[in-house]
Amino acid sequence: GNSVTQMEGPVTLSEEAFLTINCTYTATGYPSLFWYVQYPGEGLQLLLKATKADDKGSNKGFEATYRKETTSFHLEKGSVQVSDSAVYFCALSDASGSEKLVFGKGTKLTVNP
Amino acid sequence: DAGVIQSPRHEVTEMGQEVTLRCKPISGHNSLFWYRQTMMRGLELLIYFNNNVPIDDSGMPEDRFSAKMPNASFSTLKIQPSEPRDSAVYFCASSRVRGEQFFGPGTRLTVL
């Protein structure tokens, strides 16, 4: 079945550090890939997405590239801020047409000033 | 533009009581999802509707849980009877584009 594996957290960085959160997936066909972010006390929000191989999703300084050959969708940001402290979820929507998202377990990021 | 609205935001009840959680999706969205989030089990999809019709309820834990969507602007998740292990944050989300889900603020349920 479809699955998403994220690097385990928590991740603690200093402000302006470079961020990478690894995400790999298992799916048949060509899924769409997503990163969601959950700030403390809130619901999840869509951060970025990519729908086909080699697509790059970007938003708020975050980027992720859909790599079919390595089945990966790693999240990166060049310079994190304290306000980026949150839990980040990688997710996929498979090619079957189902509306369901398969989420990773989430990676908690803390950015210290 | 209002986002997904959930009520109540917090609910504290005693074991055995009935609990009803409510959700108003974003206008124009045709899919609605109910999730449960706990530290132990993470984020779990309970059920989702498309055009008010339940499509996949395989995540509903047991017969104590039921969900309805009588119209395009309202859904309920009911737990009867509630148990302490049902304590969690319950999220409703809606979507118009596959994969792009908009989450509500959640209902934090505590069953004593």
Side-chain angles (χ1 to χ4, degrees), chain A residues 2-7 21-27 33 35 67 70-75 90-92 102-104:
Chain A
N2 299 329
S3 66
V4 173
T5 302
Q6 290 181 235
M7 60 184 289
I21 300 178
N22 290 337
C23 171
T24 58
Y25 67 90
T26 301
L33 301 174
W35 277 101
R67 301 288 189 198
T70 54
T71 62
S72 65
F73 193 55
H74 305 321
L75 182 68
C90 186
L92 71 81
V102 176
F103 284 94

mmCIF file with all atom_site columns, all heavy atoms in Angstrom, chain A residues 2-7 21-27 33 35 67 70-75 90-92 102-104:
data_model
loop_
_atom_site.group_PDB
_atom_site.id
_atom_site.type_symbol
_atom_site.label_atom_id
_atom_site.label_alt_id
_atom_site.label_comp_id
_atom_site.label_asym_id
_atom_site.label_entity_id
_atom_site.label_seq_id
_atom_site.pdbx_PDB_ins_code
_atom_site.Cartn_x
_atom_site.Cartn_y
_atom_site.Cartn_z
_atom_site.occupancy
_atom_site.B_iso_or_equiv
_atom_site.pdbx_formal_charge
_atom_site.auth_seq_id
_atom_site.auth_comp_id
_atom_site.auth_asym_id
_atom_site.auth_atom_id
_atom_site.pdbx_PDB_model_num
ATOM 1   N N   . ASN A 1 2   ? 0.208  2.391  -0.113 1.00 0.00 ? 2   ASN A N   1
ATOM 2   C CA  . ASN A 1 2   ? 0.917  3.666  -0.127 1.00 0.00 ? 2   ASN A CA  1
ATOM 3   C C   . ASN A 1 2   ? 1.391  4.035  1.262  1.00 0.00 ? 2   ASN A C   1
ATOM 4   O O   . ASN A 1 2   ? 0.691  3.782  2.252  1.00 0.00 ? 2   ASN A O   1
ATOM 5   C CB  . ASN A 1 2   ? -0.010 4.759  -0.651 1.00 0.00 ? 2   ASN A CB  1
ATOM 6   C CG  . ASN A 1 2   ? -0.478 4.493  -2.062 1.00 0.00 ? 2   ASN A CG  1
ATOM 7   O OD1 . ASN A 1 2   ? 0.233  3.883  -2.845 1.00 0.00 ? 2   ASN A OD1 1
ATOM 8   N ND2 . ASN A 1 2   ? -1.673 4.928  -2.380 1.00 0.00 ? 2   ASN A ND2 1
ATOM 9   N N   . SER A 1 3   ? 2.550  4.661  1.336  1.00 0.00 ? 3   SER A N   1
ATOM 10  C CA  . SER A 1 3   ? 3.068  5.086  2.633  1.00 0.00 ? 3   SER A CA  1
ATOM 11  C C   . SER A 1 3   ? 4.027  6.254  2.462  1.00 0.00 ? 3   SER A C   1
ATOM 12  O O   . SER A 1 3   ? 4.580  6.474  1.388  1.00 0.00 ? 3   SER A O   1
ATOM 13  C CB  . SER A 1 3   ? 3.771  3.935  3.354  1.00 0.00 ? 3   SER A CB  1
ATOM 14  O OG  . SER A 1 3   ? 4.929  3.550  2.665  1.00 0.00 ? 3   SER A OG  1
ATOM 15  N N   . VAL A 1 4   ? 4.197  6.996  3.550  1.00 0.00 ? 4   VAL A N   1
ATOM 16  C CA  . VAL A 1 4   ? 5.110  8.139  3.587  1.00 0.00 ? 4   VAL A CA  1
ATOM 17  C C   . VAL A 1 4   ? 5.989  7.994  4.824  1.00 0.00 ? 4   VAL A C   1
ATOM 18  O O   . VAL A 1 4   ? 5.475  7.740  5.915  1.00 0.00 ? 4   VAL A O   1
ATOM 19  C CB  . VAL A 1 4   ? 4.326  9.467  3.657  1.00 0.00 ? 4   VAL A CB  1
ATOM 20  C CG1 . VAL A 1 4   ? 5.263  10.633 3.875  1.00 0.00 ? 4   VAL A CG1 1
ATOM 21  C CG2 . VAL A 1 4   ? 3.508  9.661  2.379  1.00 0.00 ? 4   VAL A CG2 1
ATOM 22  N N   . THR A 1 5   ? 7.275  8.165  4.646  1.00 0.00 ? 5   THR A N   1
ATOM 23  C CA  . THR A 1 5   ? 8.217  8.069  5.752  1.00 0.00 ? 5   THR A CA  1
ATOM 24  C C   . THR A 1 5   ? 8.955  9.400  5.891  1.00 0.00 ? 5   THR A C   1
ATOM 25  O O   . THR A 1 5   ? 9.565  9.873  4.928  1.00 0.00 ? 5   THR A O   1
ATOM 26  C CB  . THR A 1 5   ? 9.234  6.946  5.518  1.00 0.00 ? 5   THR A CB  1
ATOM 27  O OG1 . THR A 1 5   ? 8.531  5.704  5.359  1.00 0.00 ? 5   THR A OG1 1
ATOM 28  C CG2 . THR A 1 5   ? 10.180 6.816  6.708  1.00 0.00 ? 5   THR A CG2 1
ATOM 29  N N   . GLN A 1 6   ? 8.891  9.976  7.061  1.00 0.00 ? 6   GLN A N   1
ATOM 30  C CA  . GLN A 1 6   ? 9.590  11.231 7.345  1.00 0.00 ? 6   GLN A CA  1
ATOM 31  C C   . GLN A 1 6   ? 10.695 10.991 8.347  1.00 0.00 ? 6   GLN A C   1
ATOM 32  O O   . GLN A 1 6   ? 10.600 10.078 9.179  1.00 0.00 ? 6   GLN A O   1
ATOM 33  C CB  . GLN A 1 6   ? 8.658  12.258 7.992  1.00 0.00 ? 6   GLN A CB  1
ATOM 34  C CG  . GLN A 1 6   ? 7.619  12.828 7.150  1.00 0.00 ? 6   GLN A CG  1
ATOM 35  C CD  . GLN A 1 6   ? 6.783  13.844 7.878  1.00 0.00 ? 6   GLN A CD  1
ATOM 36  O OE1 . GLN A 1 6   ? 5.563  13.704 7.911  1.00 0.00 ? 6   GLN A OE1 1
ATOM 37  N NE2 . GLN A 1 6   ? 7.391  14.872 8.454  1.00 0.00 ? 6   GLN A NE2 1
ATOM 38  N N   . MET A 1 7   ? 11.699 11.856 8.306  1.00 0.00 ? 7   MET A N   1
ATOM 39  C CA  . MET A 1 7   ? 12.742 11.788 9.317  1.00 0.00 ? 7   MET A CA  1
ATOM 40  C C   . MET A 1 7   ? 12.109 12.060 10.677 1.00 0.00 ? 7   MET A C   1
ATOM 41  O O   . MET A 1 7   ? 11.189 12.878 10.804 1.00 0.00 ? 7   MET A O   1
ATOM 42  C CB  . MET A 1 7   ? 13.856 12.785 9.044  1.00 0.00 ? 7   MET A CB  1
ATOM 43  C CG  . MET A 1 7   ? 13.441 14.224 9.021  1.00 0.00 ? 7   MET A CG  1
ATOM 44  S SD  . MET A 1 7   ? 14.793 15.320 8.577  1.00 0.00 ? 7   MET A SD  1
ATOM 45  C CE  . MET A 1 7   ? 15.816 15.247 10.027 1.00 0.00 ? 7   MET A CE  1
ATOM 46  N N   . ILE A 1 21  ? 14.134 18.602 5.881  1.00 0.00 ? 21  ILE A N   1
ATOM 47  C CA  . ILE A 1 21  ? 13.342 17.522 6.480  1.00 0.00 ? 21  ILE A CA  1
ATOM 48  C C   . ILE A 1 21  ? 13.122 16.494 5.383  1.00 0.00 ? 21  ILE A C   1
ATOM 49  O O   . ILE A 1 21  ? 12.518 16.792 4.351  1.00 0.00 ? 21  ILE A O   1
ATOM 50  C CB  . ILE A 1 21  ? 11.995 18.010 7.028  1.00 0.00 ? 21  ILE A CB  1
ATOM 51  C CG1 . ILE A 1 21  ? 12.207 19.074 8.107  1.00 0.00 ? 21  ILE A CG1 1
ATOM 52  C CG2 . ILE A 1 21  ? 11.206 16.828 7.593  1.00 0.00 ? 21  ILE A CG2 1
ATOM 53  C CD1 . ILE A 1 21  ? 10.914 19.650 8.667  1.00 0.00 ? 21  ILE A CD1 1
ATOM 54  N N   . ASN A 1 22  ? 13.638 15.301 5.621  1.00 0.00 ? 22  ASN A N   1
ATOM 55  C CA  . ASN A 1 22  ? 13.558 14.253 4.599  1.00 0.00 ? 22  ASN A CA  1
ATOM 56  C C   . ASN A 1 22  ? 12.186 13.585 4.565  1.00 0.00 ? 22  ASN A C   1
ATOM 57  O O   . ASN A 1 22  ? 11.569 13.355 5.607  1.00 0.00 ? 22  ASN A O   1
ATOM 58  C CB  . ASN A 1 22  ? 14.620 13.190 4.848  1.00 0.00 ? 22  ASN A CB  1
ATOM 59  C CG  . ASN A 1 22  ? 16.020 13.717 4.580  1.00 0.00 ? 22  ASN A CG  1
ATOM 60  O OD1 . ASN A 1 22  ? 16.215 14.678 3.847  1.00 0.00 ? 22  ASN A OD1 1
ATOM 61  N ND2 . ASN A 1 22  ? 17.014 13.092 5.188  1.00 0.00 ? 22  ASN A ND2 1
ATOM 62  N N   . CYS A 1 23  ? 11.751 13.272 3.355  1.00 0.00 ? 23  CYS A N   1
ATOM 63  C CA  . CYS A 1 23  ? 10.495 12.566 3.145  1.00 0.00 ? 23  CYS A CA  1
ATOM 64  C C   . CYS A 1 23  ? 10.671 11.625 1.960  1.00 0.00 ? 23  CYS A C   1
ATOM 65  O O   . CYS A 1 23  ? 11.096 12.057 0.885  1.00 0.00 ? 23  CYS A O   1
ATOM 66  C CB  . CYS A 1 23  ? 9.363  13.542 2.872  1.00 0.00 ? 23  CYS A CB  1
ATOM 67  S SG  . CYS A 1 23  ? 7.812  12.763 2.346  1.00 0.00 ? 23  CYS A SG  1
ATOM 68  N N   . THR A 1 24  ? 10.346 10.364 2.157  1.00 0.00 ? 24  THR A N   1
ATOM 69  C CA  . THR A 1 24  ? 10.310 9.405  1.061  1.00 0.00 ? 24  THR A CA  1
ATOM 70  C C   . THR A 1 24  ? 8.944  8.742  1.036  1.00 0.00 ? 24  THR A C   1
ATOM 71  O O   . THR A 1 24  ? 8.238  8.719  2.044  1.00 0.00 ? 24  THR A O   1
ATOM 72  C CB  . THR A 1 24  ? 11.403 8.331  1.197  1.00 0.00 ? 24  THR A CB  1
ATOM 73  O OG1 . THR A 1 24  ? 11.239 7.661  2.445  1.00 0.00 ? 24  THR A OG1 1
ATOM 74  C CG2 . THR A 1 24  ? 12.798 8.943  1.124  1.00 0.00 ? 24  THR A CG2 1
ATOM 75  N N   . TYR A 1 25  ? 8.582  8.221  -0.109 1.00 0.00 ? 25  TYR A N   1
ATOM 76  C CA  . TYR A 1 25  ? 7.241  7.654  -0.237 1.00 0.00 ? 25  TYR A CA  1
ATOM 77  C C   . TYR A 1 25  ? 7.277  6.327  -0.983 1.00 0.00 ? 25  TYR A C   1
ATOM 78  O O   . TYR A 1 25  ? 8.217  6.017  -1.719 1.00 0.00 ? 25  TYR A O   1
ATOM 79  C CB  . TYR A 1 25  ? 6.311  8.641  -0.956 1.00 0.00 ? 25  TYR A CB  1
ATOM 80  C CG  . TYR A 1 25  ? 6.664  8.870  -2.404 1.00 0.00 ? 25  TYR A CG  1
ATOM 81  C CD1 . TYR A 1 25  ? 6.127  8.071  -3.414 1.00 0.00 ? 25  TYR A CD1 1
ATOM 82  C CD2 . TYR A 1 25  ? 7.539  9.880  -2.769 1.00 0.00 ? 25  TYR A CD2 1
ATOM 83  C CE1 . TYR A 1 25  ? 6.458  8.263  -4.740 1.00 0.00 ? 25  TYR A CE1 1
ATOM 84  C CE2 . TYR A 1 25  ? 7.880  10.082 -4.096 1.00 0.00 ? 25  TYR A CE2 1
ATOM 85  C CZ  . TYR A 1 25  ? 7.349  9.275  -5.075 1.00 0.00 ? 25  TYR A CZ  1
ATOM 86  O OH  . TYR A 1 25  ? 7.686  9.468  -6.397 1.00 0.00 ? 25  TYR A OH  1
ATOM 87  N N   . THR A 1 26  ? 6.211  5.568  -0.793 1.00 0.00 ? 26  THR A N   1
ATOM 88  C CA  . THR A 1 26  ? 5.961  4.341  -1.551 1.00 0.00 ? 26  THR A CA  1
ATOM 89  C C   . THR A 1 26  ? 4.567  4.453  -2.128 1.00 0.00 ? 26  THR A C   1
ATOM 90  O O   . THR A 1 26  ? 3.607  4.694  -1.376 1.00 0.00 ? 26  THR A O   1
ATOM 91  C CB  . THR A 1 26  ? 6.047  3.097  -0.646 1.00 0.00 ? 26  THR A CB  1
ATOM 92  O OG1 . THR A 1 26  ? 7.343  3.033  -0.053 1.00 0.00 ? 26  THR A OG1 1
ATOM 93  C CG2 . THR A 1 26  ? 5.792  1.834  -1.456 1.00 0.00 ? 26  THR A CG2 1
ATOM 94  N N   . ALA A 1 27  ? 4.454  4.347  -3.432 1.00 0.00 ? 27  ALA A N   1
ATOM 95  C CA  . ALA A 1 27  ? 3.147  4.450  -4.073 1.00 0.00 ? 27  ALA A CA  1
ATOM 96  C C   . ALA A 1 27  ? 3.236  3.858  -5.463 1.00 0.00 ? 27  ALA A C   1
ATOM 97  O O   . ALA A 1 27  ? 4.293  3.863  -6.084 1.00 0.00 ? 27  ALA A O   1
ATOM 98  C CB  . ALA A 1 27  ? 2.693  5.903  -4.147 1.00 0.00 ? 27  ALA A CB  1
ATOM 99  N N   . LEU A 1 33  ? 2.288  15.046 -4.339 1.00 0.00 ? 33  LEU A N   1
ATOM 100 C CA  . LEU A 1 33  ? 2.987  15.132 -3.057 1.00 0.00 ? 33  LEU A CA  1
ATOM 101 C C   . LEU A 1 33  ? 2.776  16.502 -2.425 1.00 0.00 ? 33  LEU A C   1
ATOM 102 O O   . LEU A 1 33  ? 2.686  17.519 -3.135 1.00 0.00 ? 33  LEU A O   1
ATOM 103 C CB  . LEU A 1 33  ? 4.485  14.873 -3.267 1.00 0.00 ? 33  LEU A CB  1
ATOM 104 C CG  . LEU A 1 33  ? 4.833  13.525 -3.881 1.00 0.00 ? 33  LEU A CG  1
ATOM 105 C CD1 . LEU A 1 33  ? 6.327  13.441 -4.182 1.00 0.00 ? 33  LEU A CD1 1
ATOM 106 C CD2 . LEU A 1 33  ? 4.422  12.383 -2.958 1.00 0.00 ? 33  LEU A CD2 1
ATOM 107 N N   . TRP A 1 35  ? 3.390  19.082 1.321  1.00 0.00 ? 35  TRP A N   1
ATOM 108 C CA  . TRP A 1 35  ? 3.858  19.370 2.669  1.00 0.00 ? 35  TRP A CA  1
ATOM 109 C C   . TRP A 1 35  ? 2.801  20.231 3.340  1.00 0.00 ? 35  TRP A C   1
ATOM 110 O O   . TRP A 1 35  ? 2.346  21.251 2.788  1.00 0.00 ? 35  TRP A O   1
ATOM 111 C CB  . TRP A 1 35  ? 5.197  20.104 2.668  1.00 0.00 ? 35  TRP A CB  1
ATOM 112 C CG  . TRP A 1 35  ? 6.366  19.191 2.530  1.00 0.00 ? 35  TRP A CG  1
ATOM 113 C CD1 . TRP A 1 35  ? 7.088  18.935 1.404  1.00 0.00 ? 35  TRP A CD1 1
ATOM 114 C CD2 . TRP A 1 35  ? 6.961  18.407 3.563  1.00 0.00 ? 35  TRP A CD2 1
ATOM 115 N NE1 . TRP A 1 35  ? 8.092  18.031 1.675  1.00 0.00 ? 35  TRP A NE1 1
ATOM 116 C CE2 . TRP A 1 35  ? 8.034  17.696 2.993  1.00 0.00 ? 35  TRP A CE2 1
ATOM 117 C CE3 . TRP A 1 35  ? 6.710  18.247 4.936  1.00 0.00 ? 35  TRP A CE3 1
ATOM 118 C CZ2 . TRP A 1 35  ? 8.851  16.835 3.738  1.00 0.00 ? 35  TRP A CZ2 1
ATOM 119 C CZ3 . TRP A 1 35  ? 7.509  17.397 5.661  1.00 0.00 ? 35  TRP A CZ3 1
ATOM 120 C CH2 . TRP A 1 35  ? 8.571  16.703 5.074  1.00 0.00 ? 35  TRP A CH2 1
ATOM 121 N N   . ARG A 1 67  ? 11.098 14.010 -6.680 1.00 0.00 ? 67  ARG A N   1
ATOM 122 C CA  . ARG A 1 67  ? 12.134 13.172 -7.281 1.00 0.00 ? 67  ARG A CA  1
ATOM 123 C C   . ARG A 1 67  ? 11.592 11.760 -7.450 1.00 0.00 ? 67  ARG A C   1
ATOM 124 O O   . ARG A 1 67  ? 11.508 10.998 -6.474 1.00 0.00 ? 67  ARG A O   1
ATOM 125 C CB  . ARG A 1 67  ? 13.383 13.134 -6.410 1.00 0.00 ? 67  ARG A CB  1
ATOM 126 C CG  . ARG A 1 67  ? 14.005 14.485 -6.149 1.00 0.00 ? 67  ARG A CG  1
ATOM 127 C CD  . ARG A 1 67  ? 14.692 15.045 -7.375 1.00 0.00 ? 67  ARG A CD  1
ATOM 128 N NE  . ARG A 1 67  ? 15.462 16.256 -7.040 1.00 0.00 ? 67  ARG A NE  1
ATOM 129 C CZ  . ARG A 1 67  ? 15.866 17.130 -7.947 1.00 0.00 ? 67  ARG A CZ  1
ATOM 130 N NH1 . ARG A 1 67  ? 15.557 16.947 -9.233 1.00 0.00 ? 67  ARG A NH1 1
ATOM 131 N NH2 . ARG A 1 67  ? 16.563 18.183 -7.579 1.00 0.00 ? 67  ARG A NH2 1
ATOM 132 N N   . THR A 1 70  ? 14.251 8.769  -6.802 1.00 0.00 ? 70  THR A N   1
ATOM 133 C CA  . THR A 1 70  ? 14.579 8.444  -5.412 1.00 0.00 ? 70  THR A CA  1
ATOM 134 C C   . THR A 1 70  ? 13.326 8.395  -4.539 1.00 0.00 ? 70  THR A C   1
ATOM 135 O O   . THR A 1 70  ? 13.433 8.205  -3.326 1.00 0.00 ? 70  THR A O   1
ATOM 136 C CB  . THR A 1 70  ? 15.551 9.482  -4.823 1.00 0.00 ? 70  THR A CB  1
ATOM 137 O OG1 . THR A 1 70  ? 14.995 10.793 -4.983 1.00 0.00 ? 70  THR A OG1 1
ATOM 138 C CG2 . THR A 1 70  ? 16.906 9.400  -5.501 1.00 0.00 ? 70  THR A CG2 1
ATOM 139 N N   . THR A 1 71  ? 12.169 8.504  -5.145 1.00 0.00 ? 71  THR A N   1
ATOM 140 C CA  . THR A 1 71  ? 10.869 8.548  -4.440 1.00 0.00 ? 71  THR A CA  1
ATOM 141 C C   . THR A 1 71  ? 10.958 9.445  -3.208 1.00 0.00 ? 71  THR A C   1
ATOM 142 O O   . THR A 1 71  ? 10.640 9.036  -2.086 1.00 0.00 ? 71  THR A O   1
ATOM 143 C CB  . THR A 1 71  ? 10.353 7.139  -4.072 1.00 0.00 ? 71  THR A CB  1
ATOM 144 O OG1 . THR A 1 71  ? 11.255 6.498  -3.175 1.00 0.00 ? 71  THR A OG1 1
ATOM 145 C CG2 . THR A 1 71  ? 10.144 6.304  -5.300 1.00 0.00 ? 71  THR A CG2 1
ATOM 146 N N   . SER A 1 72  ? 11.385 10.679 -3.430 1.00 0.00 ? 72  SER A N   1
ATOM 147 C CA  . SER A 1 72  ? 11.586 11.594 -2.315 1.00 0.00 ? 72  SER A CA  1
ATOM 148 C C   . SER A 1 72  ? 10.952 12.941 -2.587 1.00 0.00 ? 72  SER A C   1
ATOM 149 O O   . SER A 1 72  ? 10.692 13.319 -3.747 1.00 0.00 ? 72  SER A O   1
ATOM 150 C CB  . SER A 1 72  ? 13.084 11.770 -2.043 1.00 0.00 ? 72  SER A CB  1
ATOM 151 O OG  . SER A 1 72  ? 13.713 12.409 -3.140 1.00 0.00 ? 72  SER A OG  1
ATOM 152 N N   . PHE A 1 73  ? 10.715 13.677 -1.496 1.00 0.00 ? 73  PHE A N   1
ATOM 153 C CA  . PHE A 1 73  ? 10.123 15.028 -1.575 1.00 0.00 ? 73  PHE A CA  1
ATOM 154 C C   . PHE A 1 73  ? 10.611 15.791 -0.338 1.00 0.00 ? 73  PHE A C   1
ATOM 155 O O   . PHE A 1 73  ? 9.842  16.156 0.522  1.00 0.00 ? 73  PHE A O   1
ATOM 156 C CB  . PHE A 1 73  ? 8.596  14.909 -1.622 1.00 0.00 ? 73  PHE A CB  1
ATOM 157 C CG  . PHE A 1 73  ? 7.871  16.169 -2.009 1.00 0.00 ? 73  PHE A CG  1
ATOM 158 C CD1 . PHE A 1 73  ? 8.169  16.836 -3.184 1.00 0.00 ? 73  PHE A CD1 1
ATOM 159 C CD2 . PHE A 1 73  ? 6.839  16.669 -1.209 1.00 0.00 ? 73  PHE A CD2 1
ATOM 160 C CE1 . PHE A 1 73  ? 7.487  17.983 -3.556 1.00 0.00 ? 73  PHE A CE1 1
ATOM 161 C CE2 . PHE A 1 73  ? 6.141  17.816 -1.575 1.00 0.00 ? 73  PHE A CE2 1
ATOM 162 C CZ  . PHE A 1 73  ? 6.467  18.472 -2.746 1.00 0.00 ? 73  PHE A CZ  1
ATOM 163 N N   . HIS A 1 74  ? 11.888 16.024 -0.271 1.00 0.00 ? 74  HIS A N   1
ATOM 164 C CA  . HIS A 1 74  ? 12.499 16.635 0.901  1.00 0.00 ? 74  HIS A CA  1
ATOM 165 C C   . HIS A 1 74  ? 12.172 18.124 0.983  1.00 0.00 ? 74  HIS A C   1
ATOM 166 O O   . HIS A 1 74  ? 12.255 18.855 -0.018 1.00 0.00 ? 74  HIS A O   1
ATOM 167 C CB  . HIS A 1 74  ? 14.022 16.469 0.868  1.00 0.00 ? 74  HIS A CB  1
ATOM 168 C CG  . HIS A 1 74  ? 14.469 15.049 0.734  1.00 0.00 ? 74  HIS A CG  1
ATOM 169 N ND1 . HIS A 1 74  ? 13.846 13.990 1.379  1.00 0.00 ? 74  HIS A ND1 1
ATOM 170 C CD2 . HIS A 1 74  ? 15.494 14.516 0.019  1.00 0.00 ? 74  HIS A CD2 1
ATOM 171 C CE1 . HIS A 1 74  ? 14.471 12.873 1.077  1.00 0.00 ? 74  HIS A CE1 1
ATOM 172 N NE2 . HIS A 1 74  ? 15.464 13.150 0.244  1.00 0.00 ? 74  HIS A NE2 1
ATOM 173 N N   . LEU A 1 75  ? 11.872 18.587 2.186  1.00 0.00 ? 75  LEU A N   1
ATOM 174 C CA  . LEU A 1 75  ? 11.536 19.993 2.422  1.00 0.00 ? 75  LEU A CA  1
ATOM 175 C C   . LEU A 1 75  ? 12.807 20.752 2.816  1.00 0.00 ? 75  LEU A C   1
ATOM 176 O O   . LEU A 1 75  ? 13.562 20.285 3.679  1.00 0.00 ? 75  LEU A O   1
ATOM 177 C CB  . LEU A 1 75  ? 10.495 20.106 3.543  1.00 0.00 ? 75  LEU A CB  1
ATOM 178 C CG  . LEU A 1 75  ? 10.002 21.518 3.869  1.00 0.00 ? 75  LEU A CG  1
ATOM 179 C CD1 . LEU A 1 75  ? 9.169  22.072 2.715  1.00 0.00 ? 75  LEU A CD1 1
ATOM 180 C CD2 . LEU A 1 75  ? 9.173  21.496 5.151  1.00 0.00 ? 75  LEU A CD2 1
ATOM 181 N N   . CYS A 1 90  ? 4.607  15.469 5.685  1.00 0.00 ? 90  CYS A N   1
ATOM 182 C CA  . CYS A 1 90  ? 4.662  15.116 4.274  1.00 0.00 ? 90  CYS A CA  1
ATOM 183 C C   . CYS A 1 90  ? 3.449  14.235 3.962  1.00 0.00 ? 90  CYS A C   1
ATOM 184 O O   . CYS A 1 90  ? 3.034  13.434 4.823  1.00 0.00 ? 90  CYS A O   1
ATOM 185 C CB  . CYS A 1 90  ? 5.965  14.375 4.002  1.00 0.00 ? 90  CYS A CB  1
ATOM 186 S SG  . CYS A 1 90  ? 6.290  14.001 2.277  1.00 0.00 ? 90  CYS A SG  1
ATOM 187 N N   . ALA A 1 91  ? 2.882  14.375 2.770  1.00 0.00 ? 91  ALA A N   1
ATOM 188 C CA  . ALA A 1 91  ? 1.691  13.595 2.445  1.00 0.00 ? 91  ALA A CA  1
ATOM 189 C C   . ALA A 1 91  ? 1.644  13.297 0.952  1.00 0.00 ? 91  ALA A C   1
ATOM 190 O O   . ALA A 1 91  ? 2.247  13.998 0.149  1.00 0.00 ? 91  ALA A O   1
ATOM 191 C CB  . ALA A 1 91  ? 0.424  14.355 2.856  1.00 0.00 ? 91  ALA A CB  1
ATOM 192 N N   . LEU A 1 92  ? 0.926  12.251 0.607  1.00 0.00 ? 92  LEU A N   1
ATOM 193 C CA  . LEU A 1 92  ? 0.711  11.944 -0.797 1.00 0.00 ? 92  LEU A CA  1
ATOM 194 C C   . LEU A 1 92  ? -0.763 11.664 -1.069 1.00 0.00 ? 92  LEU A C   1
ATOM 195 O O   . LEU A 1 92  ? -1.498 11.207 -0.197 1.00 0.00 ? 92  LEU A O   1
ATOM 196 C CB  . LEU A 1 92  ? 1.581  10.770 -1.249 1.00 0.00 ? 92  LEU A CB  1
ATOM 197 C CG  . LEU A 1 92  ? 1.286  9.337  -0.785 1.00 0.00 ? 92  LEU A CG  1
ATOM 198 C CD1 . LEU A 1 92  ? 0.181  8.681  -1.611 1.00 0.00 ? 92  LEU A CD1 1
ATOM 199 C CD2 . LEU A 1 92  ? 2.544  8.484  -0.904 1.00 0.00 ? 92  LEU A CD2 1
ATOM 200 N N   . VAL A 1 102 ? -2.390 10.330 2.383  1.00 0.00 ? 102 VAL A N   1
ATOM 201 C CA  . VAL A 1 102 ? -1.586 9.499  3.270  1.00 0.00 ? 102 VAL A CA  1
ATOM 202 C C   . VAL A 1 102 ? -0.523 10.399 3.873  1.00 0.00 ? 102 VAL A C   1
ATOM 203 O O   . VAL A 1 102 ? 0.303  10.973 3.141  1.00 0.00 ? 102 VAL A O   1
ATOM 204 C CB  . VAL A 1 102 ? -0.943 8.330  2.508  1.00 0.00 ? 102 VAL A CB  1
ATOM 205 C CG1 . VAL A 1 102 ? -0.037 7.530  3.438  1.00 0.00 ? 102 VAL A CG1 1
ATOM 206 C CG2 . VAL A 1 102 ? -2.012 7.447  1.885  1.00 0.00 ? 102 VAL A CG2 1
ATOM 207 N N   . PHE A 1 103 ? -0.553 10.552 5.192  1.00 0.00 ? 103 PHE A N   1
ATOM 208 C CA  . PHE A 1 103 ? 0.369  11.458 5.885  1.00 0.00 ? 103 PHE A CA  1
ATOM 209 C C   . PHE A 1 103 ? 1.537  10.701 6.494  1.00 0.00 ? 103 PHE A C   1
ATOM 210 O O   . PHE A 1 103 ? 1.389  9.559  6.947  1.00 0.00 ? 103 PHE A O   1
ATOM 211 C CB  . PHE A 1 103 ? -0.359 12.194 7.016  1.00 0.00 ? 103 PHE A CB  1
ATOM 212 C CG  . PHE A 1 103 ? -1.264 13.302 6.569  1.00 0.00 ? 103 PHE A CG  1
ATOM 213 C CD1 . PHE A 1 103 ? -2.620 13.069 6.366  1.00 0.00 ? 103 PHE A CD1 1
ATOM 214 C CD2 . PHE A 1 103 ? -0.774 14.575 6.365  1.00 0.00 ? 103 PHE A CD2 1
ATOM 215 C CE1 . PHE A 1 103 ? -3.460 14.091 5.965  1.00 0.00 ? 103 PHE A CE1 1
ATOM 216 C CE2 . PHE A 1 103 ? -1.608 15.613 5.966  1.00 0.00 ? 103 PHE A CE2 1
ATOM 217 C CZ  . PHE A 1 103 ? -2.956 15.358 5.757  1.00 0.00 ? 103 PHE A CZ  1
ATOM 218 N N   . GLY A 1 104 ? 2.692  11.365 6.562  1.00 0.00 ? 104 GLY A N   1
ATOM 219 C CA  . GLY A 1 104 ? 3.774  10.893 7.402  1.00 0.00 ? 104 GLY A CA  1
ATOM 220 C C   . GLY A 1 104 ? 3.450  11.201 8.850  1.00 0.00 ? 104 GLY A C   1
ATOM 221 O O   . GLY A 1 104 ? 2.429  11.833 9.164  1.00 0.00 ? 104 GLY A O   1
#
